[in-house]
Amino acid sequence: MIVYRIAQNPNQNRAGVADFVVWNEDEIKFVETKRVREAVRESQKAWIAWMHENGVPNEIVQLKAV
């Protein structure tokens, strides 16, 4: 489903895809990472909305320096 969306309009849809895909035997999730003061870009918001509408598990994780 993700690849199909990108293929429909590669120039517009390749930007903003989640940073990571994590999975185990039972589930899969797309994860966007952001630093403390980093904002979510419009292209990322579009992907997050699309994933939400299509039931694709995703989340944004805020990273802090150690």
Side-chain angles (χ1 to χ4, degrees):
M1 190 177 343
I2 302 293
V3 174
Y4 179 74
R5 181 172 190 257
I6 294 170
Q8 287 179 313
N9 188 342
N11 290 331
Q12 180 180 349
N13 293 335
R14 67 180 171 211
V17 179
D19 295 320
F20 297 98
V21 179
V22 294
W23 70 92
N24 62 25
E25 294 176 2
D26 301 318
E27 59 187 328
I28 187 169
K29 185 180 286 186
F30 291 80
V31 179
E32 180 62 41
T33 57
K34 292 293 173 191
R35 290 177 280 182
V36 174
R37 293 182 186 92
E38 189 176 14
V40 178
R41 296 186 322 261
E42 289 302 316
S43 60
Q44 293 166 326
K45 289 178 184 179
W47 267 105
I48 291 166
W50 180 87
M51 286 189 268
H52 179 72
E53 291 167 8
N54 288 280
V56 178
N58 67 87
E59 71 177 89
I60 300 172
V61 175
Q62 189 175 54
L63 304 175
K64 295 180 182 178
V66 181

